Structure formats: C-alpha cells, structure tokens
Amino acid sequence: MADEEVKNMMCGIAGTDSESLLESIKLHHLSDLGRDHSRTDVFSLYQALALSIRDRLVANWIETQRSYYHKSAKSVYYLSLEFLTGKSLVSNALNLGYEEEVRKALEHFNMSLEDVESAEIDAGLGNGGLGRLASCFLDSMATLGIPGYGYGIRYEYGIFKQTIENGEQVECPDDWLQSGNPWEFRRKGFMFNVRLYGREEQYTADDGTVRHCWTDAAKVRAMPCDMLIPGYENDNVINMRLWAAQPASRFNLDLFNSGDYIRSMEDAVKTETISKVLYPSDRLSEGRELRLVQQYFFVSATIQDMMRRFMKLGLDYMELPNRAVVHLNETHPAIAIPELMRILLDDHRLDWDHAWRICRRTFAYTNHTVMPEALEKWPLDMVKKVLPRHVSIIFEINRRFLEEVEARFPGDEERLMRMSIIEEGEYKHVRMAWLAVVGSFTVNGVSQLHGDLIKKNIFQDFVEMFPEKFTAVTNGITPRRWIRQCNPNLSDLITEKIGRDWVKDLSQLRKLEEWAGDEEFQKRWEECRSMCKKRLVDYARKDYGLYLPQDWMYDVQVKRIHEYKRQILNILHAIVIYNRLRRNPDSVQVPRLKIFAGKAAPSYFIAKRIIKLANCVAAVINSDRSVNGKLRVAFMPNYRVSQAQLIIPATDLSEQISLAGTEASGTGNMKFALNGSLTIGTLDGANIEIMEEVGDENIFIFGMNAEEAEQRRINGYNPMEVESGDQELAEALGMIRDGWFSEGDRHLFEPVVHALTNGGDQYMALADFRSYIDCQDRVDALWQDGMEWTRRSILNTAGAGRFSSDRSIMDYATRVWGVRPVKKG
C-alpha cells in the first residue's frame, strides 16, 4: 500500500477539521461503543474521542515507519522498565495540532476538553523520574524525527494507588486498565515465545564446533501492545511497544474435565502474573524472582523484535550496529546483552568473537544512581534457575573480560575481584551494572555532576580501563507537556512576546530576559500564575476536601518519599515556623502553604513514617488558630503525572533539598524552573546546571557540596552534637520525640528521630539544617518584594531552555547513538 493510498483511505475518517472530528466521534459511539451519541456520558465521550484521535495517528505512524525503511535509517531501541506517560488525550491533541478543533467538536455535546479528559486515568506504567524521563524522551524523538521505539511492559496494574488513612499511606490496586485502553493496538499477530527455567545442554554441531542449547524450558508468549506517540506539529508518529504476558496454552481441558477446575487455569494465571504489577514486592524471594522474570521477559521479546526487523533487510550480521542501537535505561534491561549473544550464538550460529563485537557496538547504557548500594545485583543461584543458558554466557563474558583486565593490570588480584561481573562471597551475585558497562560502547551519567561522580565513586576501575566509554548527558523535560499543556495561560503570554517557535526550540526563552523588568509584563505574569493557583485550589477542594489559601506562598516538595530526598528537613522547617509563630505571631511576615506529595515504597518503613509525620504535623498546625493564618501544611495523596501538571505551575518555591552527591539529576527541578518557580536546593544533580543557567542570584542554594559532605563524614560526623548546638533544631526534634504531633505517643516517631540522631543521620539532614533554615529566611525576605520575586520568576523560565528533552535527545543522537533525524517524504 503506497503512502498516498494510506492518506486517501484515511481522509474519509480522519479529517482534521471539527466537523470531521465530530462525525468520527459519532461513528465510534455506534461502531465501537454500541450506543447512541445523543445520550452519551463523559466516559463514553472520552473513549469515542480517543479512538477518533487514534484514527488520525495511524496514517502518520505508517508513513513514519515507511520513511525509516525507505531511507535505511538506523533506529533506537529504547528499553525501559518504566514509562510514566500520564494521560494521553490532551497531549496527543496538542501535538497533532488539533486542540482547537477538538474543542469545537465537543461543543456539540456541551462539554469542554477538560471535562472529557477527567474521565481518563493516568497510565500505570511507571513510578517516578525514570519512567517520566523515558516518556519525555519518546516525545522528543518523535518531535525531532529521530527513528526509534520505546520498549517496556504493559502492566495490568500500576505500582499502587495511594490513599491516606489516619495520616498513613495505604496502598490500593492501581487498576488503570479497568475500562480498557483506547490508545493501544494489541498485535496478536506479532507474538514471540519467551523461554524460562529449564537447563543448558552442550553438543557438537555438524561442523565440529561445540554448541549450546536451552532445553526443557517453560514457554511464555509476549504480545505487543502499541501506543502511538506523535511529534509536535510535524505529522511524525513513533510507537511505544509494551509487552503483555500470555500463556502458551490458556486452558487444560483434561484437568477441567476431571473436575480440577482451578488447576486447569493455573498455568495461564502464573504466566499473566509476569505483566500483572509494576515492581512486585521484593520482600520475599518469590517477588525478587518475579522481578527478574519481568526484566528478561520484556528484554527477550524486544531483542527478538529487533532481530525480526533486521533479518528482513538481508544484511550481514556485522551490519546490525549500523542499523540499530539498543539503549538501556538503567540496569533493568541489562540482561539484553547476554540475550543478544544467545540469539547470535545459538540461533544464528555465529562464533563468539563476531557475536561479541556486534554486541559491544550495539548497546549503550545510562546509569541513574550515585550510590553504590543502589546498583542492581541478582543472586547467582536465582539467575541459574531462571536463565540457565544466560549464566554460562555471562561467565564466558566475565572470563574473557578479566583476561583483558589482567593483561592491562598484571598481578592486581584486588582489581580483578572488584571488576568481576560475578561478585564473590558466601552468596555469589551477578553485578548487572558491571555487565552493562562491559557490554556497552558508551556509559553516561544524567547530569554533569553525576557523570563526574560515577567516574570517581562507582566505576573508577572501569574508567581506568575504558576512559573513552564514559560521558554525561544532562536530562531534560518535554516543553509540550510541562509548560505548553499544563500552563496554557503562561504559554500564551510567552508566545505573544517571543513567537511560537519556542515550543520546539526552548533556547528561545532567553528572549524573555528583556521583559523581566517590565512592570506590565510582570503584572500579566503574576495573573497567569494566579490562575494556576486557582486551578489547584479548586482541584484540592473537589478531590480531597483540602482548603488551600490562594494568595499565599506555595512552598512545594513533590517527589518519591525517601530519606535521601530529605522531606524531613522540610517538615522540621514547618515546625520551626510553627514555634516562631506560637512565641511571636509578628515574627513571621510571609503566609506560607507547604505542599507535600509522593509515594513511599510499600516495604520502606521509615519513608512511610515520614508520610505519617508530615500528616500529623499538618493536623496540629492547621487546627491551631494562633498560627494557621500564616502557616498551613497539606499532603496531597496519590501523586501522579496529572496531579503534577496542576501542582507545578502553581508553585512559588520548589524544594530540591537532597544531600549533595545523592541525586543523579532530577527532572522535577527543571519542570518547576520552566514554570517560573524559584528553587531552594543544594548543589546536587541538575540543580548546579540550573544555577548556572538562571544565575546564582536567582536560586536559593544552601548546605554542603558533595566534597564537603564526603569530607565531613570522613572526619566523623556526629548528628547529636549538631542537635545540642542548635536551639531551634533541638526544640523541633524534642517535640517529635515527646509526642507533640502524635497525641502524646512517644513511640510513633521514635524510628524517624533515631535515624536522624543515634542512627547516624545517613543523609546528613541535621548537618544542613541551619543553612537550610537561614536560606528559608532569605526566601521570606525576597517574597516581601513582590516585583523582585516576579522578575526572578521570569528569569528562571528564561534560563530553563537548556533543560528541554529535545536538547537531551539531540545530544544522545549525535554523541552516543550515531543516529540522524529522518524527514518523511
């Protein structure tokens, strides 16, 4: 079918004007939903509209795929265990350029686009920054015309839906697919077999070579489910391919007929568990094993899919790295390296040397952590059980690699132990980060600081071995979702002043600098920000019964709850303000609303206690009439992408307060700055680069830098001494100890206080406490000069251009992947 044929076929059902959209919506009510469009409801209208927009994606997607093929394009296979997409309706309409036409079509039903979007549920395909970054990258790949695909798992349930009961996190199933997903294509005709368990056998082939095979393995079917990702106003559409686990046989009729009805379905249930839940609990060995199975499941299906495309070209195997690059987003997909080796060795009968040269030219690896203890390792016995063939391949990779190390550093036994992919000890482990480094041609950090730290602290031995492998690509965010969509009034104001091209070239935001001191522009800027606050106020009241004061400073910390994120510092600051107000109401001039949001891992006890503490502190402060006219605290449950799109544009002060040297990059900090928030933060992750771009006078920096924190720890850090030397800190901790915020219960928060004091304060919150409090006092002083605050808000947006994911993707394309943009036609 030619491209023009596709266009002609689709034009009857996929016109871009409002009348065509309306007819398409009516048609989908009839043909897909089986109902009368004149009696529709919000959810049915959402489904029909989503299907209508999907119609308009399909022809462009086919044309895009054809252009890759006709131009012999090298493609990116972006492997990520998470894609935190959020909602798709408005994003897709915006990127297609149909937003206004969609609004006109919905007028026929007396509904707004926002009304209809409310029926959509955030896709439960990710958890935090890793997944959101991956989704931003796909948006930029589509917008820039970079040939590529995103690959992951189609989780039936997200990590969990968070509710707050008695101040505590309660996890409920995130059944995001309960009513289906109108955006996906389930492609049962392109399923692959994935093998698990069994054993490895060795045999002599007809040509006399020793070969290996994987026998007696269980088989699982991987079904691809495609979600289409449009570029911004360029008719380019790529796809995110998510794998759903299907049983090789759904039903055992013999068992059923014998009356064993449960066992007749047992295999199907076990198989479907693989793609059931994002991050199953790893408290039990069964949960850990399921995580390994998940990783291999999607990796195996993806590599088979890549080889399917490559084999159609009829090229020599050595050409594979010239046609495909596999990008590993963290170590979760690192098992792809031995999987490609297995396919090349066992299925295509290549010799080891040729197969390994292909592998090492095909894979690139992004590391997202600075903490060695966070690097993924799998028990060797578990890997042997689940993937017996891969263990022998990993052993051979390791043997040959250590021979290289020995040749380069003869006699250095300790180095061999440190660099071995197999970690020795009572229980041996496979070091997945080591495997990723050895099997990839490039390893990158995700900010300049992170790139330096991983070379110094994690991969130092490997840097000495392969200095040319290591680089850094600073993360980025898509401006389409993170300002154009979520902050439309501010976007329109920016467009009025500098034109509309900034949405695809964020560096043009620098043009706003000349308007930063203009009083009329400042007034309009603040009017836009006030509208964002009103939207958040309405949402909080409607969805959670929270009453937020609209004209206060919004001091916001929204992110995963973890000790290294140091939400505890923010809570201690709230207690300090509370105590100052109790003693002297006139000592605090700035009314401040502290907003917290974020989920804690279900098994992370201390993080869940921190959530409880935040809510208990909120309850005491908000009910105290002597202080609640100047201070309130709110915890917003179930933080997710759609909620972030409301909170971030309304934020005045962005809390990015992790201990320097612990945050790889962060992307939340970028989203806040892009929307005009001022940052209070440490010299950690991308905060450093934000400071460089917006100017150090337009950001509030406090605390130790990474080197100072390391040196203080070496010198013997004693948090008890810090507490005893700071009256406000001692008072705040004493109130938590004595049950001030827990109705007299002295035991409830004892674990939190112990972790900060006797427990050693691993993330040095108390060490940075006084610097943080003093910095917050400077925030208060600036807030009282409204025009100056607004000027700096504008300059933060003006300086955020570097943090576009378009810039990140072009960095990857030119410096890592060796991929060029492809224009259709």
Side-chain angles (χ1 to χ4, degrees):
M1 188 183 299
D3 291 348
E4 286 302 316
E5 270 188 276
V6 174
K7 288 182 180 178
N8 293 335
M9 183 179 68
M10 297 300 295
C11 68
I13 61 170
T16 61
D17 58 284
S18 59
E19 291 81 5
S20 296
L21 281 163
L22 177 58
E23 290 307 310
S24 184
I25 291 168
K26 291 178 179 179
L27 176 62
H28 282 295
H29 271 88
L30 179 68
S31 61
D32 291 282
L33 307 182
R35 65 175 302 169
D36 182 351
H37 66 82
S38 66
R39 296 176 178 273
T40 192
D41 54 31
V42 173
F43 182 69
S44 296
L45 191 53
Y46 156 66
Q47 289 184 304
L49 176 57
L51 291 168
S52 299
I53 292 175
R54 192 182 72 165
D55 289 343
R56 286 148 179 80
L57 292 170
V58 171
N60 287 340
W61 176 70
I62 293 173
E63 288 182 56
T64 301
Q65 295 300 305
R66 290 229 172 105
S67 69
Y68 294 169
Y69 181 79
H70 292 321
K71 297 184 179 183
S72 302
K74 181 179 181 179
S75 295
V76 179
Y77 291 76
Y78 193 88
L79 276 62
S80 180
L81 203 59
E82 298 183 35
F83 288 95
L84 196 59
T85 55
K87 297 183 179 184
S88 297
L89 180 65
V90 176
S91 177
N92 285 347
L94 175 71
N95 278 14
L96 286 169
Y98 299 163
E99 184 180 3
E100 290 307 312
E101 296 302 318
V102 168
R103 291 184 184 278
K104 290 178 184 177
L106 291 177
E107 289 175 2
H108 176 84
F109 302 96
N110 295 316
M111 289 198 192
S112 69
L113 181 54
E114 289 72 25
D115 291 333
V116 176
E117 187 197 27
S118 68
E120 185 174 11
I121 299 174
D122 285 56
L125 299 169
N127 176 40
L130 184 78
R132 186 53 241 169
L133 178 75
S135 292
C136 284
F137 278 3
L138 292 189
D139 175 278
S140 288
M141 288 168 68
T143 296
L144 295 169
I146 300 295
Y149 313 87
Y151 279 93
I153 296 178
R154 180 189 182 268
Y155 302 103
E156 188 175 340
Y157 293 88
I159 188 165
F160 61 85
K161 181 179 180 180
Q162 181 196 58
T163 61
I164 302 297
E165 297 180 10
N166 297 318
E168 296 185 356
Q169 170 177 293
V170 176
E171 301 98 26
C172 305
D174 177 16
D175 191 5
W176 74 282
L177 287 172
Q178 58 184 314
S179 300
N181 178 12
W183 299 107
E184 71 180 5
F185 290 97
R186 304 180 72 183
R187 302 191 183 280
K188 295 186 177 182
F190 291 90
M191 296 172 75
F192 292 102
N193 287 324
V194 175
R195 288 183 284 179
L196 297 161
Y197 306 104
R199 57 192 175 85
E200 179 192 39
E201 284 188 352
Q202 184 175 299
Y203 69 98
T204 302
D206 294 340
D207 60 2
T209 58
V210 175
R211 294 284 177 180
H212 299 79
C213 64
W214 189 358
T215 64
D216 298 332
K219 290 184 180 179
V220 174
R221 302 277 279 164
M223 179 179 69
C225 302
D226 289 345
M227 291 178 66
L228 305 184
I229 312 294
Y232 182 70
E233 296 185 351
N234 65 354
D235 294 335
N236 203 65
V237 178
I238 64 174
N239 63 291
M240 176 172 60
R241 176 155 288 186
L242 306 173
W243 300 102
Q246 302 283 302
S249 175
R250 301 194 65 86
F251 181 63
N252 188 315
L253 183 60
D254 289 339
L255 286 173
F256 185 87
N257 286 336
S258 68
D260 201 341
Y261 306 127
I262 302 299
R263 283 187 61 212
S264 70
M265 298 290 292
E266 187 175 0
D267 286 345
V269 171
K270 285 182 177 178
T271 296
E272 291 169 357
T273 299
I274 295 172
S275 55
K276 185 70 71 176
V277 178
L278 169 64
Y279 294 140
S281 173
D282 58 359
R283 282 177 290 183
L284 300 175
S285 61
E286 291 85 354
R288 292 192 292 274
E289 185 175 312
L290 178 56
R291 286 196 182 192
L292 175 60
V293 169
Q294 283 184 330
Q295 291 180 12
Y296 177 67
F297 164 76
F298 100 88
V299 157
S300 175
T302 299
I303 299 300
Q304 290 184 70
D305 202 27
M306 178 185 74
M307 292 302 295
R308 173 188 65 84
R309 288 195 184 97
F310 177 73
M311 294 304 292
K312 289 195 299 184
L313 303 176
L315 299 173
D316 185 271
Y317 292 106
M318 296 303 291
E319 283 295 305
L320 177 61
N322 297 324
R323 291 304 184 97
V325 56
V326 179
H327 198 94
L328 309 175
N329 189 29
E330 251 304 341
T331 55
H332 307 127
I335 200 69
I337 294 167
E339 172 65 1
L340 180 57
M341 285 295 291
R342 182 194 67 80
I343 290 173
L344 295 175
L345 293 170
D346 298 354
D347 297 349
H348 297 282
R349 304 297 182 90
L350 270 67
D351 63 68
W352 182 277
D353 290 339
H354 281 88
W356 187 235
R357 280 201 295 273
I358 291 169
C359 270
R360 293 185 87 169
R361 293 173 55 215
T362 299
F363 291 97
Y365 161 50
T366 293
N367 172 273
H368 287 272
T369 185
V370 295
M371 294 176 278
E373 66 270 18
L375 295 173
E376 188 174 51
K377 297 185 293 187
W378 289 110
L380 180 60
D381 288 344
M382 181 183 292
V383 182
K384 282 182 179 178
K385 174 185 175 184
V386 176
L387 304 170
R389 177 67 181 114
H390 296 73
V391 166
S392 86
I393 292 173
I394 291 169
F395 271 36
E396 184 62 13
I397 291 172
N398 194 46
R399 183 186 69 80
R400 291 171 180 247
F401 169 63
L402 292 181
E403 286 181 355
E404 293 181 46
V405 176
E406 172 63 25
R408 179 79 178 275
F409 304 99
D412 194 340
E413 292 297 324
E414 289 189 4
R415 182 184 295 269
L416 290 174
M417 291 283 287
R418 293 195 305 268
M419 297 184 73
S420 174
I421 296 170
I422 306 301
E423 182 182 65
E424 301 295 333
E426 183 180 359
Y427 300 103
K428 294 183 180 182
H429 288 81
V430 181
R431 294 163 162 158
M432 301 307 288
W434 277 209
L435 177 62
V437 171
V438 172
S440 298
F441 62 85
T442 297
V443 178
N444 74 276
V446 290
S447 70
Q448 193 57 55
L449 174 65
H450 179 234
D452 293 340
L453 287 174
I454 63 173
K455 288 191 286 186
K456 176 183 175 184
N457 297 338
I458 298 179
F459 299 128
Q460 181 179 5
D461 289 325
F462 292 92
V463 172
E464 293 177 10
M465 185 82 181
F466 310 114
E468 72 287 350
K469 273 194 183 188
F470 291 85
T471 187
V473 178
T474 298
N475 284 345
I477 57 175
T478 169
R480 271 72 66 180
R481 183 179 291 267
W482 291 113
I483 185 167
R484 177 64 185 84
Q485 179 184 337
C486 73
N487 205 337
N489 300 107
L490 193 66
S491 296
D492 289 344
L493 177 60
I494 293 170
T495 297
E496 179 186 320
K497 292 299 181 185
I498 68 172
R500 66 191 305 270
D501 290 344
W502 64 271
V503 182
K504 292 178 75 170
D505 178 8
L506 209 59
S507 66
Q508 294 194 26
L509 290 178
R510 282 288 181 196
K511 297 176 183 178
L512 290 174
E513 290 178 345
E514 65 179 279
W515 296 94
D518 184 275
E519 290 187 22
E520 179 61 28
F521 186 71
Q522 287 181 357
K523 180 181 176 182
R524 295 180 65 190
W525 187 271
E526 283 307 311
E527 287 172 352
C528 292
R529 293 184 56 77
S530 181
M531 292 178 193
C532 293
K533 285 187 176 180
K534 185 179 186 305
R535 281 197 298 269
L536 181 60
V537 167
D538 293 343
Y539 164 78
R541 182 173 62 249
K542 177 184 175 184
D543 283 41
Y544 302 113
L546 295 172
Y547 290 84
L548 310 181
Q550 187 173 323
D551 56 347
W552 291 17
M553 179 202 294
Y554 280 21
D555 175 357
V556 175
Q557 188 175 20
V558 290
K559 55 184 71 220
R560 180 165 53 100
I561 309 297
H562 195 289
E563 288 169 278
Y564 93 85
K565 305 282 190 181
R566 300 204 299 190
Q567 282 91 355
I568 192 64
L569 258 182
N570 200 354
I571 295 170
L572 289 170
H573 178 236
I575 298 172
V576 167
I577 299 175
Y578 173 58
N579 288 332
R580 290 176 179 179
L581 284 168
R582 286 192 306 122
R583 279 190 291 269
N584 179 8
D586 295 329
S587 65
V588 177
Q589 298 299 315
V590 175
R592 185 187 295 240
L593 170 67
K594 282 189 174 287
I595 297 176
F596 294 88
K599 298 177 181 179
S603 59
Y604 193 171
F605 173 76
I606 291 292
K608 295 175 81 169
R609 270 289 187 269
I610 290 170
I611 291 175
K612 174 74 171 177
L613 177 61
N615 281 289
C616 287
V617 169
V620 170
I621 290 173
N622 297 346
S623 63
D624 189 335
R625 292 185 179 181
S626 68
V627 304
N628 66 15
K630 287 187 176 176
L631 175 65
R632 295 187 193 175
V633 180
F635 189 99
M636 303 193 74
N638 202 35
Y639 186 56
R640 57 202 184 279
V641 173
S642 60
Q643 190 184 82
Q645 290 176 216
L646 290 167
I647 294 175
I648 289 171
T651 297
D652 297 303
L653 185 69
S654 161
E655 300 265 357
Q656 308 297 330
I657 58 177
S658 53
L659 174 64
T662 60
E663 185 75 80
S665 169
T667 52
N669 47 7
M670 302 171 186
K671 294 162 193 163
F672 284 104
L674 179 60
N675 283 274
S677 303
L678 273 64
T679 299
I680 182 168
T682 53
L683 290 171
D684 197 24
N687 289 353
I688 297 171
E689 290 165 73
I690 290 174
M691 180 182 69
E692 292 169 351
E693 295 296 320
V694 306
D696 56 9
E697 71 278 9
N698 299 314
I699 187 172
F700 297 98
I701 295 296
F702 73 92
M704 301 171 288
N705 63 31
E707 292 76 16
E708 290 167 343
E710 182 180 3
Q711 191 59 50
R712 185 158 184 181
R713 201 185 303 278
I714 291 170
N715 292 341
Y717 169 54
N718 185 345
M720 304 289 287
E721 287 182 1
V722 177
E723 180 188 3
S724 64
D726 192 305
Q727 183 177 347
E728 286 190 312
L729 174 59
E731 182 181 22
L733 289 173
M735 293 169 74
I736 298 172
R737 278 194 191 97
D738 294 341
W740 188 284
F741 304 104
S742 50
E743 299 180 335
D745 185 347
R746 292 170 174 249
H747 301 291
L748 183 61
F749 297 121
E750 191 277 333
V752 176
V753 175
H754 175 79
L756 291 171
T757 54
N758 305 82
D761 189 17
Q762 181 179 0
Y763 299 105
M764 306 181 83
L766 303 194
D768 276 345
F769 171 83
R770 178 45 53 190
S771 178
Y772 175 62
I773 297 300
D774 292 344
C775 194
Q776 288 282 14
D777 290 343
R778 296 199 299 274
V779 170
D780 278 1
L782 181 63
W783 180 261
Q784 294 176 74
D785 184 347
M787 291 180 63
E788 180 60 19
W789 184 282
T790 302
R791 187 183 75 85
R792 297 191 190 188
S793 169
I794 296 167
L795 290 174
N796 267 264
T797 298
R802 168 169 166 71
F803 304 107
S804 170
S805 51
D806 296 348
R807 188 268 315 148
S808 300
I809 287 300
M810 282 309 299
D811 277 357
Y812 277 112
T814 56
R815 294 170 45 213
V816 177
W817 299 334
V819 174
R820 296 179 179 179
V822 172
K823 292 185 179 180
K824 292 194 299 184

